[in-house]
Amino acid sequence: MDFRRVDNLPPYVLAVIRELTLELRRGGADVVDLGFGNPDLPSPELAVEKLTEAARNPRNHRYSASKGIPNLRLAAATLYKRQFDVDLDPDTQVLNTIGAKEGLSHLMWVLLEPGDSALVPSPSYPIHIHAPILAGASVTRVPMGADEDLFANLEEAWERAQPKPRVVILSFPHNPTTATVDLAFMKRVVDFAREHELLVVHDFAYADLVFDGYKAPSILQVPGADEVAVELYTLTKSFSMAGWRVGFVVGNAAVVAALARLKSWLDYGTFQPIQIAATVTMNELPDYPREASAVYESRRDSLCDGLDRAGWSFPKPKGSMFVWAPIPERFRSLGSLAFAERLAREASVAVSPGVGFGADGDGFVRFALVENEQRIGQAVRSIRSFLAG
């Protein structure tokens, strides 16, 4: 039997290293896993307490609202006002999603169909590339990297794209490249979208994981941006609540309403005790994202400074929970997958091969800052020995 859409998905390259890591660990190797970007920080104790309390109330066991309970949407709007000085109407401009990944994927169903196209940076997080494809649309890649002018590339991609794109997907701080932008860049994007009648979808998953005094802008801080943009915000990294699957689509009211209508056919929302706990957490722990960010910044320094001393040097990222490292020159001919396999086998360190994020990523590997500093130090020592061999 042929399986529609699924059969056309490419092999998930990132799973190769994950499976190799499991194989090596079964064989007794102590592999430091910096591959899978699965946050390891425990969720706030307050969130767990409120979840437990709410779960004991049988009334919370029934179906919830697919768009999210009113207090949850109000808490998200309040967070946006507090963090970014952005005013959102919780009734018309905020929609709860079952994590950002689900929100983005179903959003593409609303915005795209066969015959449409989207602009997506390359390399990029895999779902950014494949969510439009799953909706039946084509994707025009926009090269990005340290030596690229992303906005110029965006303009050039628009010119060569056929059919003309309806959507552009962006994400800053960026996964995997860790690229960051300022508010002036976001204004140019909003002007570009208005000129070309595009909708901008900005995945703001790493909104609060920022370092060295940098503050990531919300695209909605640009005056009038909600006419041409929506943004995805999630508690996954900012509040260390990965498995809870609490995300939001915010911004353009017509888009939010369209996605809410689709979701009303597909789900009954997140388990209500999770929504209640998330509401309390956003309202009562406004400083938690900064505390989590400080942990990741310290890990970033441990990894980057250690690799620099080992002779593997590159600029430190200013945001995200990742480090995007160019493959050392003498290993570059291997390609990112073979190099990552060698690091796993010979240095007992798992990283993500850049090719898993698109062909433009093949000269890089991605480190996820998901182990404590002691384990990161162990990884650095192993890599130093590997590079010296």
Side-chain angles (χ1 to χ4, degrees):
M1 179 180 290
D2 293 330
F3 296 100
R4 305 297 188 258
R5 295 182 175 84
V6 175
D7 283 347
N8 291 328
L9 288 172
Y12 199 58
V13 175
L14 302 181
V16 174
I17 299 301
R18 201 173 305 163
E19 291 166 5
L20 176 58
T21 300
L22 293 174
E23 174 192 322
L24 293 171
R25 284 177 169 174
R26 283 193 293 265
D30 182 17
V31 180
V32 180
D33 189 358
L34 303 179
F36 184 27
N38 191 4
D40 65 311
L41 300 183
S43 301
E45 186 175 342
L46 176 65
V48 178
E49 290 173 354
K50 292 300 178 182
L51 172 66
T52 304
E53 177 185 314
R56 289 199 176 103
N57 186 338
R59 289 179 299 177
N60 292 326
H61 298 179
R62 306 181 72 184
Y63 291 136
S64 187
S66 62
K67 67 185 296 185
I69 60 176
N71 281 343
L72 176 67
R73 289 182 280 113
L74 176 59
T78 301
L79 181 148
Y80 257 75
K81 182 63 176 178
R82 181 175 68 234
Q83 292 280 84
F84 310 110
D85 196 25
V86 169
D87 292 305
L88 293 170
D89 183 333
D91 292 325
T92 63
Q93 291 185 291
V94 181
L95 173 69
N96 177 222
T97 61
I98 308 173
K101 199 171 184 179
E102 177 271 320
L104 177 73
S105 300
H106 284 146
L107 185 57
M108 293 303 107
W109 289 18
V110 170
L111 300 174
L112 299 170
E113 63 181 15
D116 291 331
S117 73
L119 297 174
V120 182
S122 178
S124 247
Y125 184 49
I127 197 61
H128 291 174
I129 299 169
H130 292 287
I133 294 172
L134 286 169
S138 61
V139 167
T140 299
R141 73 180 184 89
V142 183
M144 70 176 296
D147 300 324
E148 299 281 354
D149 182 334
L150 179 59
F151 192 82
N153 291 348
L154 191 65
E155 293 179 310
E156 190 275 332
W158 163 265
E159 293 297 334
R160 64 182 161 84
Q162 290 297 333
K164 289 305 179 189
R166 301 188 78 228
V167 171
V168 56
I169 299 176
L170 298 174
S171 181
F172 298 104
H174 188 252
N175 176 16
T177 70
T178 74
T180 53
V181 298
D182 58 17
L183 190 58
F185 177 88
M186 290 299 198
K187 184 180 185 307
R188 293 177 74 191
V189 169
V190 168
D191 292 342
F192 175 81
R194 188 174 283 115
E195 177 186 355
H196 295 296
E197 297 183 345
L198 279 163
L199 184 86
V200 183
V201 176
H202 182 229
D203 185 350
F204 208 19
Y206 302 95
D208 302 300
L209 298 192
V210 288
F211 318 129
D212 302 328
Y214 170 72
K215 184 171 176 59
S218 161
I219 196 169
L220 298 177
Q221 288 175 276
V222 177
D226 61 357
E227 298 170 9
V228 295
V230 291
E231 193 160 72
L232 292 116
Y233 183 87
T234 171
L235 274 59
T236 291
K237 286 85 182 179
S238 297
F239 290 89
S240 302
M241 295 171 68
W244 299 62
R245 313 312 301 136
V246 180
F248 302 92
V249 172
V250 302
N252 184 279
V255 175
V256 168
L259 181 56
R261 183 178 178 188
L262 174 66
K263 283 176 61 63
S264 71
W265 284 84
L266 298 177
D267 67 68
Y268 290 105
T270 304
F271 185 40
Q272 190 152 295
I274 290 178
Q275 296 189 55
I276 293 169
T279 300
V280 174
T281 300
M282 284 189 286
N283 286 338
E284 298 189 15
L285 297 180
D287 293 330
Y288 184 89
R290 284 192 288 274
E291 296 169 10
S293 183
V295 173
Y296 286 111
E297 183 170 7
S298 183
R299 292 177 178 184
R300 176 207 64 168
D301 290 343
S302 294
L303 178 65
C304 292
D305 292 345
L307 292 178
D308 183 64
R309 289 191 295 270
W312 190 355
S313 302
F314 46 84
K316 290 181 180 179
K318 291 195 294 183
S320 85
M321 57 182 284
F322 303 110
V323 168
W324 183 242
I327 298 172
E329 184 64 39
R330 67 188 174 100
F331 296 102
R332 200 155 296 170
S333 62
L334 290 175
S336 59
L337 180 57
F339 178 67
E341 289 175 330
R342 282 195 62 177
L343 275 183
R345 293 186 185 279
E346 299 177 35
S348 294
V349 178
V351 298
S352 293
V355 71
F357 304 95
D360 291 316
D362 200 25
F364 298 79
V365 292
R366 190 195 73 178
F367 293 84
L369 302 172
V370 294
E371 294 269 15
N372 62 41
E373 289 184 46
Q374 180 180 349
R375 293 283 284 171
I376 287 174
Q378 177 182 327
V380 167
R381 291 189 294 273
S382 297
I383 292 172
R384 182 187 300 123
S385 297
F386 168 75
L387 295 176

